[in-house]
Amino acid sequence: MPGAFVQLLLFLGVTGLGVYWFAKAVYHRYLYVKLGQPVDWNGRVKHNLREFMGQVFGQTKLMKDRKSGIMHLVIFYGFLILQLGAIDIIFKGLAGYSLPIPGFAAFELLQEVTVASILIAMGYAAYRRYGEKLKRLKRGWKPSLVLFFIYSLMLSVLFTQAFSRLREGLEPSWHAPFSSLIAMPFEWLGMSTGAATVLYVISWWAHLLILLAFLVYVPQSKHFHLITAPLNIILRRTEPVGRLRKLDLEDEEAESFGVGKIEDLTQKQLVDLYACVECGRCTNVCPAASTGKWLSPMHMITKMRDHLTEKGAAVTSKSPWAPAFAFSGVQTHAMQLEGQDLGAWNGAGITDIGATMQAQTQSWLPVADGRAPGELELVGDVMSESEIWACTTCRNCEDQCPVGNEHVDKIIDMRRFLVLTQGSMPHDGQRALQNIERQSNPWGISRNDRIKWVQEVDPEGVLNVPTVKDNPNFDVLFFVGSMGSYDNRSRKVTRAFVRLMNEAGVNFAILGNEEKNSGDTPRRMGNEFLFQQLCEENIRTFQKYNVRKIVTTCPHTYNTLKNEYPEFGLEAEVLHHSELLDELVRHSRIVPKHTVSERVTYHDSCYLGRYNNVYDQPRNVLRAIQGVELLEMERTRENGMCCGAGGGMMWMEETAGKRVNLARTEQALEVKPTVISSACPFCLTMMEDGTKLLNTEESVQTRDIAELLELAVFGPVSSGDKEAVTV
């Protein structure tokens, strides 16, 4: 009895201390998150509940990588199942008997099978990291520590149960197969009850101490995601994915615009940092990291997390570590790029994240000059400009992230700081924005020439292309966009789409020279001022002509008009031309009559697919064309690789590694197509340039879906004839 009382006191003391350290570590990180900008959380839980259930309990995002998804599913549900078993083990060690659980034999069997399953799953996890050596996974003492915790915790369960059986003199049992197996050698050796009792107590305390140590470790490691990931998912934004925050540019009290300090991020963005599980899935699909650029979405999140923790501790005077005395020598970290040069592409295969992963690891180091966290610049010391300007804003990282992190908005916020506050951006990007500001197009061609495409693609006046003044009773406004108006290659797509609308009897009109640039490029490049100016001018024009329905051939324009203009007052339905063409074909208003014998692989535009979930409509159009054999690339639909033009990269040169469009074209050529098709003028340009770089432009053509449908509807003609495109 005295021994039991002492054990109870020790249990209460040790458990209380462990829970206190855990709560302290969590609370201090909560204080760091509170340093961020306030967020309106209202309505988020109700809106996100269904997705929360699917992602947390269905593990839907994790299953995008089926092998690791199944592994994680076993571990996740295994730990849930073992919670009651852990309570039973602790209770029995204190009270001397088990909890009165109905069907205890089945419960005991379930516990042991679950422990064995977790051990197998963790063995596979170790193999993936250290045997298979997946490049996206970090290696070192931290991942090894987690393996040690889980393995030792599972083994302590089995040994506690085994010595409990020996102490009680129980025979081997089918409902305790593994603990019975462990107990057998000791029983054969004639272990006494006293010895079994001592080893039981040791195993019981080992189980408790490992459990509490793991509990304290969780908030101080990437395993904080056990708490923050569910919160991150259920508290995610409710507006359309990828929509950027509207800046109040008239705020006279604002000292800067964009994010120049870690506390300029919103509290939700800071929760993102603590939700990261460091699985590397984001970096693995990042077009920048995959082609040898500096940007690694995972390292961006972890570097900002480290910086938040270090600066938060300095600002609040609350140590992030528990027990604090054990971490007195923790240093401040920063990017140190001296001697780090990614240089020319030397990767293995079409894409390779190895160089980026290695460079990021080697450059994130303790500061050597003794600077405090508050003296470090977020843009410069934590995130380099090379990383910030490498992003194509494709959102593949966000689509793959199993904890709901958003990466793109953070990068755009830092670009805003560079452009609006510091006046810094790459020269070629600056030139494009100056041209948009002066002439409303990236090339600087006269704004009065925007409508010239009509005459130049149709000098004989065969097409019917009315302006809003010519046809004031139009049903659909065709927003041609800068690419469709000025770029010679994209004009062919514009012409094909106009012919198809005429064939279907669509009552449309264009704005002509009254049309402005949509503002997508300025916004993604950080010039929110120019975007808002263009947005407001376009909306006034839409209202002037009572526009109620808009169609465009550019996914970037489509996304901006559909998802971002409404915040500024637009009230109109917005369609992409692939959606309209799909509808017209389904209702037999357009009938493909001619055979187009081509092997076609379709490249998904990021702003059409991941931003707006338009995957089937363009494929439906292609399937409606007789003779087309539709081929899917290995990376397709939600996981399709970016062409490299988004986020303003269309107007900037890539200076490191391999060109993104070259890698994507190589992926397309793997399926041996005769035509690479897309539904985006940016993608079409990049893929066409890719075929030229690979010297395959003679055997593999690039065509928009509208051009292929035009060919199927009107038939092939000679290249000198203006009636149709030749394929």
Side-chain angles (χ1 to χ4, degrees), residues 553-603:
T553 57
C554 176
H556 299 261
T557 300
Y558 165 69
N559 177 72
T560 301
L561 296 178
K562 178 182 177 182
N563 296 326
E564 299 187 337
Y565 271 41
E567 193 174 10
F568 295 85
L570 176 64
E571 296 179 1
E573 180 186 1
V574 182
L575 294 174
H576 184 255
H577 79 299
S578 63
E579 295 177 300
L580 181 59
L581 292 176
D582 178 39
E583 179 184 338
L584 295 175
V585 169
R586 282 190 292 106
H587 291 90
S588 300
R589 292 176 63 183
I590 294 177
V591 180
K593 300 183 287 287
H594 299 271
T595 299
V596 180
S597 300
E598 301 287 352
R599 290 170 53 85
V600 180
T601 186
Y602 176 74
H603 162 78

Coordinates of all heavy atoms in Angstrom, one line a residue, residues 553-603:
T553 N -10.3 34.1 -73.3 CA -9.5 32.9 -73.7 C -8.3 32.7 -72.8 O -7.6 31.7 -72.9 CB -9.0 33.0 -75.1 OG1 -8.2 34.2 -75.3 CG2 -10.1 33.0 -76.1
C554 N -8.0 33.7 -71.9 CA -6.9 33.7 -71.0 C -7.3 33.3 -69.6 O -8.0 34.0 -68.9 CB -6.2 35.0 -71.0 SG -4.8 35.1 -69.8
P555 N -6.8 32.1 -69.1 CA -7.1 31.7 -67.7 C -6.7 32.7 -66.6 O -7.4 32.8 -65.6 CB -6.3 30.4 -67.5 CG -6.2 29.9 -68.9 CD -6.0 31.1 -69.8
H556 N -5.6 33.5 -66.8 CA -5.2 34.5 -65.9 C -6.2 35.6 -65.8 O -6.6 36.0 -64.7 CB -3.8 35.0 -66.3 CG -2.8 33.9 -66.3 ND1 -1.9 33.7 -65.3 CD2 -2.5 33.0 -67.2 CE1 -1.1 32.7 -65.6 NE2 -1.4 32.3 -66.8
T557 N -6.7 36.1 -66.9 CA -7.7 37.1 -67.0 C -9.0 36.5 -66.4 O -9.7 37.2 -65.6 CB -8.0 37.5 -68.4 OG1 -6.7 38.1 -69.0 CG2 -9.1 38.5 -68.5
Y558 N -9.3 35.3 -66.8 CA -10.5 34.6 -66.3 C -10.6 34.5 -64.8 O -11.5 34.9 -64.1 CB -10.6 33.2 -66.9 CG -11.5 32.2 -66.3 CD1 -12.9 32.3 -66.4 CD2 -11.0 31.1 -65.6 CE1 -13.8 31.4 -65.9 CE2 -11.9 30.2 -65.1 CZ -13.3 30.3 -65.2 OH -14.1 29.4 -64.7
N559 N -9.4 34.1 -64.2 CA -9.4 34.0 -62.7 C -9.5 35.4 -62.1 O -10.2 35.5 -61.0 CB -8.1 33.4 -62.3 CG -7.9 33.3 -60.8 OD1 -8.6 32.5 -60.1 ND2 -7.0 34.1 -60.2
T560 N -8.8 36.4 -62.6 CA -8.9 37.7 -62.0 C -10.3 38.3 -62.1 O -10.8 38.9 -61.1 CB -7.9 38.7 -62.8 OG1 -6.6 38.1 -62.6 CG2 -7.9 40.0 -62.2
L561 N -10.9 38.2 -63.3 CA -12.3 38.7 -63.4 C -13.3 38.0 -62.6 O -14.2 38.6 -61.9 CB -12.7 38.7 -64.9 CG -11.9 39.5 -65.9 CD1 -12.5 39.3 -67.3 CD2 -12.0 41.0 -65.6
K562 N -13.2 36.7 -62.5 CA -14.1 35.8 -61.8 C -14.0 35.9 -60.3 O -15.0 36.0 -59.6 CB -14.0 34.4 -62.3 CG -14.9 33.4 -61.6 CD -14.7 32.0 -62.1 CE -15.6 31.0 -61.3 NZ -15.4 29.6 -61.8
N563 N -12.8 35.9 -59.8 CA -12.5 35.7 -58.4 C -12.0 36.9 -57.6 O -12.2 37.0 -56.4 CB -11.5 34.5 -58.2 CG -12.1 33.2 -58.6 OD1 -13.3 32.9 -58.5 ND2 -11.2 32.4 -59.2
E564 N -11.5 37.9 -58.4 CA -10.9 39.1 -57.7 C -11.7 40.4 -58.0 O -11.8 41.2 -57.1 CB -9.4 39.2 -58.0 CG -8.7 37.9 -57.6 CD -7.2 38.0 -57.7 OE1 -6.7 38.8 -58.5 OE2 -6.5 37.3 -57.0
Y565 N -12.2 40.5 -59.2 CA -12.9 41.7 -59.5 C -14.2 41.9 -58.6 O -14.6 43.0 -58.3 CB -13.3 41.8 -61.0 CG -12.3 42.4 -61.9 CD1 -10.9 42.2 -61.7 CD2 -12.6 43.2 -62.9 CE1 -10.0 42.8 -62.5 CE2 -11.7 43.8 -63.8 CZ -10.4 43.6 -63.6 OH -9.4 44.1 -64.4
P566 N -14.9 40.8 -58.3 CA -16.1 41.0 -57.5 C -15.9 41.7 -56.2 O -16.7 42.4 -55.7 CB -16.6 39.6 -57.2 CG -16.1 38.8 -58.4 CD -14.8 39.4 -58.7
E567 N -14.7 41.6 -55.6 CA -14.3 42.3 -54.3 C -14.3 43.8 -54.6 O -14.4 44.6 -53.6 CB -13.0 41.8 -53.8 CG -12.7 42.2 -52.4 CD -11.4 41.6 -51.8 OE1 -10.7 41.0 -52.6 OE2 -11.2 41.8 -50.6
F568 N -14.2 44.2 -55.9 CA -14.1 45.6 -56.2 C -15.4 46.1 -56.9 O -15.4 47.3 -57.3 CB -12.9 45.9 -57.1 CG -11.6 45.6 -56.5 CD1 -11.0 44.4 -56.4 CD2 -10.9 46.7 -55.9 CE1 -9.8 44.1 -55.8 CE2 -9.6 46.4 -55.2 CZ -9.1 45.1 -55.2
G569 N -16.4 45.2 -56.9 CA -17.7 45.7 -57.4 C -18.2 45.1 -58.7 O -19.3 45.4 -59.2
L570 N -17.5 44.1 -59.3 CA -18.0 43.5 -60.5 C -19.1 42.6 -60.2 O -19.0 41.7 -59.4 CB -16.9 42.8 -61.2 CG -17.3 42.0 -62.5 CD1 -17.8 42.9 -63.6 CD2 -16.1 41.1 -63.0
E571 N -20.2 42.7 -61.0 CA -21.3 41.8 -60.9 C -21.6 41.3 -62.3 O -22.4 41.8 -63.1 CB -22.6 42.5 -60.4 CG -22.4 43.0 -58.9 CD -23.6 43.8 -58.4 OE1 -24.6 43.9 -59.2 OE2 -23.6 44.2 -57.3
A572 N -21.0 40.2 -62.6 CA -21.1 39.6 -63.9 C -20.7 38.1 -63.9 O -19.8 37.7 -63.1 CB -20.3 40.3 -65.0
E573 N -21.3 37.3 -64.7 CA -20.9 35.9 -64.9 C -19.6 35.9 -65.8 O -19.6 36.5 -66.8 CB -22.0 35.1 -65.5 CG -21.6 33.6 -65.7 CD -22.7 32.8 -66.4 OE1 -23.7 33.4 -66.8 OE2 -22.5 31.6 -66.7
V574 N -18.6 35.1 -65.4 CA -17.4 35.0 -66.1 C -17.1 33.6 -66.6 O -17.2 32.7 -65.7 CB -16.2 35.6 -65.3 CG1 -14.9 35.5 -66.1 CG2 -16.4 37.0 -64.8
L575 N -16.9 33.4 -67.8 CA -16.6 32.1 -68.4 C -15.2 32.1 -69.1 O -14.8 33.1 -69.6 CB -17.7 31.7 -69.5 CG -19.1 31.5 -69.0 CD1 -20.0 31.3 -70.2 CD2 -19.2 30.3 -68.0
H576 N -14.6 30.9 -69.1 CA -13.5 30.7 -69.9 C -13.9 30.1 -71.2 O -15.0 29.4 -71.3 CB -12.5 29.7 -69.2 CG -11.2 29.5 -70.0 ND1 -10.9 28.4 -70.7 CD2 -10.1 30.3 -70.1 CE1 -9.7 28.5 -71.2 NE2 -9.2 29.7 -70.9
H577 N -13.2 30.4 -72.3 CA -13.6 29.9 -73.6 C -13.8 28.4 -73.7 O -14.6 27.9 -74.4 CB -12.8 30.4 -74.7 CG -11.5 29.7 -74.9 ND1 -10.5 29.6 -74.0 CD2 -11.0 29.0 -76.0 CE1 -9.5 28.9 -74.5 NE2 -9.7 28.6 -75.7
S578 N -13.0 27.6 -72.8 CA -13.2 26.2 -72.8 C -14.6 25.8 -72.3 O -15.2 24.8 -72.7 CB -12.1 25.5 -72.0 OG -12.2 25.9 -70.7
E579 N -15.1 26.6 -71.3 CA -16.4 26.3 -70.7 C -17.5 26.6 -71.7 O -18.5 25.8 -71.9 CB -16.6 27.1 -69.5 CG -15.7 26.8 -68.3 CD -15.8 27.7 -67.1 OE1 -15.6 28.9 -67.3 OE2 -16.1 27.2 -66.0
L580 N -17.3 27.7 -72.4 CA -18.4 28.1 -73.4 C -18.4 27.1 -74.6 O -19.4 26.7 -75.0 CB -18.1 29.5 -73.9 CG -19.1 30.1 -74.9 CD1 -20.5 30.1 -74.4 CD2 -18.7 31.5 -75.4
L581 N -17.2 26.8 -75.1 CA -17.1 25.8 -76.2 C -17.7 24.5 -75.8 O -18.4 23.8 -76.6 CB -15.6 25.7 -76.7 CG -15.0 26.9 -77.3 CD1 -13.6 26.7 -77.7 CD2 -15.8 27.3 -78.6
D582 N -17.4 24.0 -74.6 CA -18.0 22.7 -74.1 C -19.5 22.8 -74.1 O -20.2 21.9 -74.6 CB -17.4 22.4 -72.7 CG -18.0 21.2 -72.1 OD1 -18.2 20.2 -72.9 OD2 -18.3 21.1 -70.9
E583 N -20.0 23.9 -73.7 CA -21.5 24.1 -73.6 C -22.1 24.1 -75.0 O -23.1 23.5 -75.3 CB -21.8 25.4 -72.9 CG -23.3 25.7 -72.8 CD -23.6 27.0 -72.2 OE1 -22.7 27.5 -71.4 OE2 -24.7 27.6 -72.4
L584 N -21.4 24.8 -76.0 CA -21.9 24.9 -77.3 C -21.9 23.6 -78.0 O -22.8 23.2 -78.8 CB -21.1 26.0 -78.1 CG -21.2 27.4 -77.6 CD1 -20.2 28.3 -78.4 CD2 -22.6 27.9 -77.7
V585 N -20.8 22.8 -77.8 CA -20.7 21.5 -78.4 C -21.7 20.5 -77.8 O -22.4 19.8 -78.6 CB -19.3 20.9 -78.2 CG1 -19.2 19.4 -78.6 CG2 -18.2 21.7 -79.0
R586 N -21.9 20.6 -76.5 CA -22.9 19.7 -75.9 C -24.3 20.0 -76.4 O -25.2 19.0 -76.5 CB -22.9 19.8 -74.4 CG -21.7 19.1 -73.7 CD -21.8 19.0 -72.2 NE -21.6 20.3 -71.6 CZ -22.6 21.1 -71.1 NH1 -23.8 20.6 -71.1 NH2 -22.3 22.3 -70.5
H587 N -24.6 21.2 -76.7 CA -26.0 21.6 -77.2 C -26.1 21.6 -78.7 O -27.0 22.2 -79.2 CB -26.4 22.9 -76.6 CG -26.6 22.9 -75.1 ND1 -25.6 23.1 -74.2 CD2 -27.8 22.6 -74.4 CE1 -26.2 23.0 -72.9 NE2 -27.4 22.7 -73.0
S588 N -25.0 21.0 -79.3 CA -25.0 20.9 -80.8 C -25.1 22.2 -81.5 O -25.5 22.3 -82.7 CB -26.1 20.0 -81.3 OG -26.0 18.7 -80.7
R589 N -24.7 23.3 -80.9 CA -24.6 24.6 -81.6 C -23.4 24.7 -82.4 O -23.2 25.5 -83.3 CB -24.8 25.7 -80.6 CG -26.1 25.8 -79.9 CD -26.2 26.9 -78.9 NE -26.0 28.2 -79.4 CZ -26.0 29.3 -78.7 NH1 -26.1 29.3 -77.4 NH2 -25.8 30.5 -79.3
I590 N -22.4 23.9 -82.0 CA -21.2 23.7 -82.8 C -21.1 22.2 -83.1 O -21.1 21.4 -82.1 CB -19.9 24.2 -82.1 CG1 -20.0 25.7 -81.9 CG2 -18.7 23.8 -82.8 CD1 -18.8 26.2 -81.1
V591 N -20.9 21.8 -84.3 CA -20.9 20.4 -84.7 C -19.5 20.1 -85.4 O -19.3 20.5 -86.5 CB -22.0 19.9 -85.6 CG1 -21.9 18.5 -85.9 CG2 -23.4 20.3 -84.9
P592 N -18.6 19.3 -84.7 CA -17.4 18.9 -85.4 C -17.7 17.9 -86.5 O -18.1 16.8 -86.2 CB -16.5 18.3 -84.3 CG -17.2 18.8 -83.0 CD -18.7 18.9 -83.3
K593 N -17.4 18.3 -87.7 CA -17.8 17.4 -88.9 C -16.6 16.7 -89.5 O -16.7 15.7 -90.2 CB -18.5 18.2 -89.9 CG -19.8 18.9 -89.5 CD -20.5 19.6 -90.6 CE -19.8 20.9 -91.0 NZ -20.0 21.9 -89.9
H594 N -15.4 17.3 -89.3 CA -14.2 16.8 -90.0 C -13.3 16.0 -89.0 O -13.2 16.3 -87.8 CB -13.4 18.0 -90.5 CG -14.2 18.7 -91.6 ND1 -14.2 18.4 -92.9 CD2 -15.0 19.8 -91.4 CE1 -15.0 19.3 -93.5 NE2 -15.5 20.2 -92.7
T595 N -12.7 15.0 -89.5 CA -11.7 14.2 -88.7 C -10.4 14.9 -88.5 O -9.9 15.4 -89.5 CB -11.5 12.8 -89.4 OG1 -12.8 12.1 -89.5 CG2 -10.5 12.0 -88.6
V596 N -9.9 14.9 -87.3 CA -8.6 15.4 -87.0 C -7.8 14.3 -86.4 O -7.9 14.0 -85.2 CB -8.7 16.6 -86.0 CG1 -7.3 17.2 -85.8 CG2 -9.6 17.7 -86.6
S597 N -7.0 13.7 -87.3 CA -6.2 12.5 -86.8 C -4.9 12.9 -86.2 O -3.9 13.0 -86.8 CB -6.0 11.6 -88.0 OG -7.2 11.1 -88.6
E598 N -5.0 13.1 -84.9 CA -3.8 13.6 -84.1 C -3.8 12.9 -82.7 O -4.8 12.6 -82.2 CB -3.9 15.1 -83.9 CG -3.9 15.9 -85.2 CD -2.6 15.9 -85.9 OE1 -1.6 15.4 -85.4 OE2 -2.6 16.4 -87.1
R599 N -2.6 12.7 -82.3 CA -2.4 12.2 -80.9 C -2.1 13.5 -80.1 O -1.1 14.1 -80.2 CB -1.1 11.3 -80.8 CG -1.3 9.9 -81.5 CD 0.0 9.2 -81.6 NE 0.7 9.1 -80.3 CZ 0.5 8.1 -79.4 NH1 -0.4 7.2 -79.6 NH2 1.2 8.1 -78.3
V600 N -3.1 13.8 -79.2 CA -3.1 15.1 -78.5 C -2.9 14.9 -77.0 O -3.6 14.1 -76.4 CB -4.4 15.8 -78.8 CG1 -4.4 17.2 -78.0 CG2 -4.7 16.1 -80.3
T601 N -2.0 15.6 -76.5 CA -1.8 15.6 -75.0 C -2.2 17.0 -74.6 O -1.8 18.0 -75.1 CB -0.4 15.2 -74.5 OG1 -0.4 15.1 -73.1 CG2 0.6 16.2 -75.0
Y602 N -3.0 17.1 -73.5 CA -3.5 18.4 -73.1 C -2.8 18.8 -71.8 O -2.7 18.1 -70.8 CB -5.0 18.3 -72.8 CG -5.6 19.6 -72.2 CD1 -5.8 20.7 -73.0 CD2 -5.9 19.7 -70.8 CE1 -6.3 21.9 -72.4 CE2 -6.4 20.8 -70.3 CZ -6.6 21.9 -71.1 OH -7.1 23.1 -70.6
H603 N -2.2 20.0 -71.9 CA -1.5 20.6 -70.7 C -2.5 21.5 -70.0 O -3.1 22.4 -70.5 CB -0.3 21.4 -71.2 CG 0.2 22.4 -70.2 ND1 1.0 22.0 -69.2 CD2 0.0 23.7 -70.1 CE1 1.3 23.1 -68.4 NE2 0.7 24.2 -69.0

